[in-house]
Each structure stands twice: as C-alpha cells, then as structure tokens.
C-alpha cells in the first residue's frame, strides 16, 4: 500500500510540475528554502503529496463506512406506540423509502373506554382535591389564590371551572377577601370533558375572612392516509401503519442523523490544505534555526580563518584548512561544516575559486557570509593586504552584534517572567493577609 501511495504521489508531482499550478503550490522562494535546508525539492513534495493522499483516502474510507453503517442500520418500522391517555400528541417524521422524502404525522394518545375514563376521572379528583389549594393548607381555610388548571398531565380531560360566588372566588381561582366580614362557604363547580362524555363535581371551600391587620401531492396523500389511519386506531395500544398507497408499497423509517457524516466531510475538506500549510511552516522553522546556527558559528569561523591567513596561507588554502578543522571537530556548527565540505567538493570538481565562493555564500543563506565573501574578493584583488585586520574587525563587529542580541533576548525573557512573578507575589500576599484579617 505504501509503495502504491509513493507511486501515486510521484505521478501527481510530475503532473503538477508540468502544469501552471506548480508555480503557485511550489513558489521559487519555497524551493530555495528546501534546498537551503539540504533537502531535494522533488523528494519534499513527493512526501508531502503522499501524506495528503493518505489523509484523503483515509477520510473517504471513514466517510464511506460511516454512511454505510447508517444506511444498513436503518430499522423499518410497521407500528408506532401511542402516548398514554392524557399525554399530548407526538409528531413523528417518517421516511418514505419509495419517494426518498419524509412525511410528518401526529400520533394522538390512546382513547379510553367509558369505564377507563370514569376510573381515570376519579383518580384525577383525588389529585385535584389537594392540587387546587395551591398554597392553602386546607379547603376549610382558604386565604390564598387557588390553582385551577385547564387540564392535568396524565389525564385526558378538558377542565372548565365555575364559581357560584364570583365576588369571593373567580373562575380563574383568584380569592378576594377584602369585603368579607365572616368566613364564607363557596361552591366551585368542575366540568370535565373527554370526547362526547362529561363529568361534574362540586368542591366545597371555605374562604376565611381576613383578620384585622393581615414529492408534495403524494406526500400530502401519505400524510392524509397516516392521519386517517391514526385516528381510526386510537383505541389500540399499537398503531399499525398503512402498507400501501396508490399501488405503491409504503416503507417508513425513522429519520437518520447524518451530522457525523457532515463533520467528517468538513474535516476531509479542511485537513489537506491545513497539512499543506503546516508542512511549509515546518520548513520555514527549519530554515530559521539553520540560519541561527550559521550566524552563531560565524565569529569563530572568521577568527579561525584569520589565524590561518596570518600564518601565511593563501585564501584558498586557509579555507581548506578551516573545512578540515570543522570536519574533525565536535558537533558545533553542523550546517557550516556541511557548507564548507560542499565548497571543497566544488573546488575539486573544477569550479573556479570565485564560483565556489559565491555558491558558498548563497548556500549559507546568511548576510554575514555574503559580507565575508565581499571582503575576501576585495582582499584577493589587493594581494591579501590588510585582510587579517579586516577579518579581526569583522569578528569584533559580529561579537558586538551578538552581545546586543543576547541583551535584547534577556529583556524579552524578563518581560515574560514579570507576569508569573507578580502572580506569585499576589498569592504570597494573600496567604499572609487573609489569616491576619480572619484573626480579628
């Protein structure tokens, strides 16, 4: 599989290289960065494309598996359970497979028989005897407003209230005791309706006197058929859904949540360009670190070079000796060691001294080395006169620059540490002051 990915990435790279997109996806400056970091442009982009191909294929596979799981996991339904008597109707959205669309229908609560309804009414009365009192403690001592509901959850009745003395208790349950001089008995009438049946009951309450100072057409047909079927089966616990309409078999499914597929598809769209950009950011970070290493190795390099020139070696020989020293030395200045080795290889391959020197300055990718190349060219034209002094002056200048940079970095670190130090000071002050205040 990896070899197939590699082959596909190479073919894609060859196509991009021949197209106009290559200049946009791989600008010249980015390719120079890749070369400066010691990598091959082709290898870099082949690896990058292979990674993107793996991500895209993996995302497509995950998207396919998720979609297949949702499709295969659909459950065909032939019955719906009605809400219990007294509960509100529920709206169900059923997926009609033959039309590829959803239809909605209301599923009403199961209808009760007279015996069941009468038993339910008696149960509700026992509940209302207590619930209508609200904040009152007893029906014999009513002082606060009553709670007169239009319906009671769990019971299929519509309630209508009426008071025989509305000046004391209104039909909404408001209690008015302002004009009472003595306790007053009030009858509160209840009418409960369920379908064609009615029940009546009278609550006897005593209000105490205040104490002084206290596809559309087909879908519409399907919805109509479902509504008709649902209404006809309200006396049953299980509602059998219709199986056929206009010669077509009706197959219903509950709606499936495809939000996971949307998120996976969105991730599949956003992740490849994000990886592409992050790969280039990593490259820029490598280049920045490499340039920093070249800059840090520069003072020691020109000091060593000036020593060899002061010892009487010509410029080419001095550079060769510096390269040999860096090859045999410890791991410091790895990037400079590689560039010096490349400089020697170019000289042995037939490059002129100035060609190899210019290539060395470009490969170092750092301004100090370009400036050093200018000094060496000038000294070569002047028969090496004053080169040692120029190199020593250059070393002093660079060292001073580094000291300034180190001081600036130190100031930045101090500024960053100031916030945590102030936070620690606040914590210490809190640990000291809080116990002191609590002791008073």
């Amino acid at each position: 599989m990896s070899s197939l990915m590699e082959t596909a990435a190479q073919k894609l790279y060859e196509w991009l290289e021949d197209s106009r997109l290559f200049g946009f996806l791989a600008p010249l400056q980015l390719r120079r960065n890749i070369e400066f970091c010691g990598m091959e442009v082709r290898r870099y982009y082949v690896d990058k494309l292979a990674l993107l191909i793996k991500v895209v294929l993996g995302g497509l596979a995950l998207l396919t598996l998720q979609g297949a799981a949702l499709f295969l996991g659909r459950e065909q339904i032939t019955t719906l359970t009605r809400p219990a008597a007294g509960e509100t109707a529920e709206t169900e959205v059923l997926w009609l497979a033959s039309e590829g669309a959803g239809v909605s229908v209301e599923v009403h609560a199961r209808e009760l028989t007279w015996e069941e309804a009468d038993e339910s009414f008696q149960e509700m009365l026992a509940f209302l005897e207590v619930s209508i009192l609200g904040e009152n403690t007893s029906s014999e001592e009513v002082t606060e407003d009553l709670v007169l509901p239009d319906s009671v959850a769990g019971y299929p009745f519509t309630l209508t209230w009426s008071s025989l003395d509305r000046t004391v208790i209104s039909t909404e349950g408001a209690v008015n005791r302002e004009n009472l001089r003595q306790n007053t008995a009030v009858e509160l009438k209840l009418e409960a309706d369920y379908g064609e049946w009615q029940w009546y009951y009278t609550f006897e309450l005593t209000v105490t006197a205040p104490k002084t100072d206290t596809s559309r057409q087909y879908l519409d047909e399907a919805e109509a058929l479902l509504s008709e079927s649902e209404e006809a089966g309200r006396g049953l616990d299980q509602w059998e859904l219709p199986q056929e309409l206009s010669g077509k078999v009706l197959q219903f499914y509950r709606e499936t949540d495809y939000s996971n597929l949307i998120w996976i598809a969105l991730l599949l769209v956003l992740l490849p360009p994000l990886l592409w950009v992050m790969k280039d950011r990593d490259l820029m970070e490598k280049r920045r670190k490499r340039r920093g290493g070249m800059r840090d190795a520069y003072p020691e390099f020109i000091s060593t070079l000036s020593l060899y020139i002061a010892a009487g070696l010509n410029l080419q020989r001095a550079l060769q000796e510096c390269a040999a020293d860096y090859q045999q030395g410890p791991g410091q200045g790895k990037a400079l060691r590689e560039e010096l080795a490349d400089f020697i290889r170019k000289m042995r391959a037939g490059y002129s001294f100035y060609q190899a020197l210019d290539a060395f300055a470009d490969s170092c990718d750092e301004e100090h080395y370009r400036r050093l190349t200018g000094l060496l060219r000038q000294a070569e034209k002047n028969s090496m006169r004053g080169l040692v002094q120029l190199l020593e002056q250059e070393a002093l200048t660079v060292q001073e620059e580094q000291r300034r940079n180190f001081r600036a970095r130190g100031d930045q670190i101090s500024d960053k540490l100031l916030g945590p130090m102030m936070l620690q000071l606040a914590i210490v002050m809190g640990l000291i002051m809080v116990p002191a205040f609590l002791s008073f």
Side-chain angles (χ1 to χ4, degrees):
M1 180 63 72
S2 297
S3 60
L4 291 176
M5 298 287 184
E6 180 76 14
T7 302
Q10 291 177 358
K11 295 292 185 182
L12 184 56
Y13 174 78
E14 292 172 359
W15 177 81
L16 287 173
E17 192 175 26
D18 295 335
S19 68
R20 296 181 180 180
L21 290 175
F22 190 72
F24 173 75
L25 297 175
L28 180 60
Q29 183 62 38
L30 184 60
R31 280 176 273 162
R32 287 179 60 84
N33 291 340
I34 296 171
E35 293 173 350
F36 283 139
C37 292
M39 292 182 284
E40 183 184 355
V41 174
R42 179 186 179 87
R43 183 73 265 165
Y44 174 80
Y45 279 103
V46 167
D47 292 342
K48 194 174 184 180
L49 291 170
L51 175 62
L52 293 183
I53 291 174
K54 292 177 182 178
V55 170
V56 171
L57 292 181
L60 290 175
L62 182 60
L63 192 66
T64 302
L65 291 175
Q66 182 72 14
L70 289 174
F71 181 79
L72 295 176
R74 294 185 309 167
E75 178 185 357
Q76 183 176 352
I77 57 174
T78 58
T79 61
L80 290 175
T81 301
R82 293 182 177 279
E87 295 184 0
T88 58
E90 297 177 353
T91 300
E92 286 279 357
V93 180
L94 303 176
W95 189 260
L96 187 55
S98 62
E99 299 301 314
V103 293
S104 61
V105 64
E106 284 192 356
V107 183
H108 292 271
R110 187 177 76 85
E111 293 182 350
L112 302 178
T113 64
W114 164 257
E115 291 76 9
E116 291 173 334
D118 187 62
E119 182 180 353
S120 179
F121 176 73
Q122 301 303 323
E123 292 177 0
M124 184 184 66
L125 285 180
F127 172 77
L128 289 175
E129 290 280 1
V130 178
S131 65
I132 64 171
L133 295 177
E135 297 181 2
N136 297 288
T137 58
S138 169
S139 62
E140 301 295 328
E141 189 178 350
V142 176
T143 58
E144 305 295 333
D145 290 345
L146 302 175
V147 180
L148 305 181
D150 296 330
S151 60
V152 178
Y155 297 94
F157 302 99
T158 301
L159 307 181
T160 304
W161 301 88
S162 60
S163 173
L164 297 185
D165 191 347
R166 298 184 182 180
T167 60
V168 181
I169 299 179
S170 71
T171 55
E172 289 78 23
V175 175
N176 181 12
R177 302 192 301 150
E178 292 182 1
N179 300 321
L180 292 183
R181 296 293 179 265
Q182 60 183 2
N183 295 348
T184 302
V186 179
E187 290 185 349
L188 193 64
K189 299 289 185 178
L190 168 65
E191 178 183 342
D193 294 285
Y194 176 63
E196 299 177 352
W197 302 319
Q198 290 83 34
W199 289 261
Y200 300 93
Y201 188 79
T202 300
F203 294 91
E204 296 183 354
L205 305 170
T206 300
V207 180
T208 58
K211 297 179 181 180
T212 305
D213 299 330
T214 60
S215 161
R216 199 63 258 170
Q217 182 178 358
Y218 189 83
L219 294 176
D220 291 341
E221 292 177 0
E223 288 184 358
L225 178 62
L226 285 170
S227 299
E228 180 182 347
S229 173
E230 191 277 334
E231 184 177 356
R234 290 183 184 177
L236 303 175
D237 289 329
Q238 297 289 330
W239 167 33
E240 294 287 339
L241 297 176
Q243 304 294 316
E244 184 178 353
L245 174 62
S246 300
K248 292 184 179 180
V249 176
L250 298 179
Q251 295 178 334
F252 299 101
Y253 298 89
R254 296 191 187 275
E255 279 196 318
T256 304
D257 184 9
Y258 291 98
S259 58
N260 289 339
L261 292 182
I262 296 174
W263 284 111
I264 294 173
L266 184 62
L267 185 64
L268 185 61
V269 171
L270 296 180
L271 190 58
L274 182 62
L275 288 175
W276 185 276
V277 174
M278 290 178 63
K279 192 78 171 177
D280 292 339
R281 285 173 62 89
D282 292 342
L283 179 65
M284 295 300 294
E285 182 64 19
K286 288 181 181 179
R287 183 185 180 188
R288 188 188 66 79
K289 291 181 179 180
R290 183 179 183 276
R291 294 179 72 177
M294 296 291 290
R295 186 165 51 250
D296 293 340
Y298 182 70
E300 181 181 353
F301 169 63
I302 58 175
S303 297
T304 304
L305 181 61
S306 63
L307 287 176
Y308 280 120
I309 293 175
L313 298 180
N314 60 28
L315 185 55
Q316 182 174 345
R317 182 62 180 168
L319 287 171
Q320 290 176 346
E321 291 297 330
C322 286
D325 289 345
Y326 272 86
Q327 293 298 321
Q328 298 174 1
Q332 300 293 332
K334 177 182 178 181
L336 179 58
R337 180 168 65 246
E338 293 174 353
E339 295 303 330
L340 286 171
D342 188 59
F343 170 78
I344 298 302
R345 283 195 297 270
K346 285 184 172 61
M347 290 290 296
R348 292 173 179 172
Y351 282 64
S352 69
F353 175 72
Y354 289 120
Q355 288 176 334
L357 191 61
D358 290 339
F360 170 74
D362 290 338
S363 299
C364 288
D365 190 29
E366 217 284 320
E367 186 61 33
H368 292 86
Y369 292 91
R370 296 189 181 94
R371 189 166 62 201
L372 175 63
T373 300
L375 291 177
L376 297 180
R377 278 179 170 274
Q378 183 180 355
E380 184 75 12
K381 293 178 181 179
N382 295 330
S383 301
M384 306 294 287
R385 289 194 301 270
L387 179 58
V388 175
Q389 291 77 10
L390 289 174
L391 292 176
E392 291 175 351
Q393 182 62 38
E394 176 72 7
L396 292 175
T397 302
V398 173
Q399 289 172 358
E400 182 61 28
E401 288 180 2
Q402 287 187 334
R403 280 194 289 270
R404 288 197 299 269
N405 291 335
F406 290 149
R407 282 195 294 269
R409 292 178 187 175
D411 293 339
Q412 292 176 356
I413 294 174
S414 298
D415 293 340
K416 291 180 180 179
L417 291 176
L418 183 61
M421 291 174 63
M422 293 299 295
L423 180 60
Q424 290 179 354
L425 177 61
I427 294 173
V428 172
M429 293 298 295
L431 293 175
I432 295 173
M433 299 300 293
V434 171
F437 279 114
L438 293 178
S439 63
F440 288 106

